[in-house]
């Protein structure tokens, strides 16, 4: 089965300082529709450097609030 771990208190606090207040910081981490390229970059970087996850899946649904090409980068 798939184990979906919750972020540690340290990573949770780090994400809280990087992301919009309405973002969900549990697992799954939900950046909310208003998240732009910088929020995605910060969240991915925080998760990659935490060493807490073996893998993760990034889903982006364009809603017209951010430039899609910038989010892809």
């Amino acid at each position: 089965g798939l184990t979906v771990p919750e972020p540690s208190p340290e990573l949770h606090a780090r994400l809280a300082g990087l992301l919009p207040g309405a973002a969900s910081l549990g697992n799954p981490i939900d950046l909310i529709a208003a998240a732009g390229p910088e929020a995605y970059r910060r969240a991915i970087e925080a998760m990659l450097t935490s060493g807490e996850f073996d893998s993760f899946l990034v889903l982006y649904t364009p809603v017209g609030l951010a430039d899609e090409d910038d989010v892809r980068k």
Side-chain angles (χ1 to χ4, degrees):
L2 177 65
T3 302
V4 184
E6 289 295 317
S8 67
E10 294 80 16
L11 180 56
H12 189 278
R14 183 172 177 200
L15 290 169
L18 297 173
L19 301 175
S24 171
L25 304 178
N27 198 350
I29 296 168
D30 183 353
L31 275 56
I32 69 171
E38 189 61 22
Y40 275 86
R41 186 194 64 74
R42 290 187 305 235
I44 291 168
E45 184 178 89
M47 290 183 288
L48 281 173
T49 60
S50 74
E52 296 183 28
F53 301 99
D54 294 323
S55 62
F56 57 91
L57 176 66
V58 178
L59 299 175
Y60 171 70
T61 304
V63 294
L65 299 175
D67 184 304
E68 296 173 36
D69 290 330
D70 288 341
V71 174
R72 281 189 203 107
K73 291 176 188 176

